[in-house]
Amino acid sequence: QSELVESGGGLVQPGGSLRLSCTAPGFTLEYYAVGWFRQAPGKEREGVSCISRSDGITGYADSVKGRFTISRDNAKNTVYLQMNSLKPEDTAVYYCAAGRHCTTNPLEYKYWGHGTQVTVSS
């Protein structure tokens, strides 16, 4: 059962930007680490970025480092993923997930969203 809601995906040209949002209608995201994952057709789900629950420490996959930025707005109960300089290989369904700690293991996250499609193409 999905507890999170993602938005902000779409079609963008290479080099463009998108900002994904992740909200939790039923609970307070501030008390959870929140990760962004993505899954392209025929590939495994991979961790993209994560922000810790207490001190706001962030982490990024090497493939997105320097291009993506994760942040949280506790007043809006929302976590964002700002994606710049997008490449065709960034095309995937992007999911947000909430758990106790930042980890690249999807099994350690308790709550998930349905995902939002990001397509980078000219």
Side-chain angles (χ1 to χ4, degrees):
Q1 181 178 358
S2 296
E3 305 272 358
L4 304 177
V5 178
E6 304 97 338
S7 61
L11 173 64
V12 63
Q13 292 186 343
S17 299
L18 284 174
R19 189 178 76 162
L20 305 183
S21 299
C22 173
T23 61
F27 62 95
T28 303
L29 269 181
E30 180 179 359
Y31 303 135
Y32 294 86
V34 177
W36 284 96
F37 290 78
R38 67 186 181 187
Q39 189 164 19
K43 295 188 176 181
E44 292 186 354
R45 191 168 297 190
E46 64 168 341
V48 173
S49 182
C50 189
I51 186 165
S52 66
R53 60 178 172 171
S54 56
D55 47 19
I57 292 176
T58 60
Y60 300 91
D62 287 343
S63 58
V64 306
K65 205 170 289 184
R67 300 188 298 122
F68 291 10
T69 303
I70 191 171
S71 62
R72 65 196 314 158
D73 185 336
N74 292 331
K76 295 183 178 180
N77 202 34
T78 301
V79 170
Y80 302 100
L81 184 68
Q82 178 68 44
M83 306 186 297
N84 299 328
S85 302
L86 283 161
K87 305 174 181 180
E89 51 263 44
D90 294 318
T91 296
V93 177
Y94 283 70
Y95 302 87
C96 65
R100 289 182 57 84
H101 306 287
C102 279
T103 171
T104 57
N105 184 355
L107 297 178
E108 296 193 32
Y109 289 84
K110 183 175 183 180
Y111 302 109
W112 286 86
H114 281 297
T116 185
Q117 176 70 45
V118 171
T119 302
V120 184
S121 174
S122 55

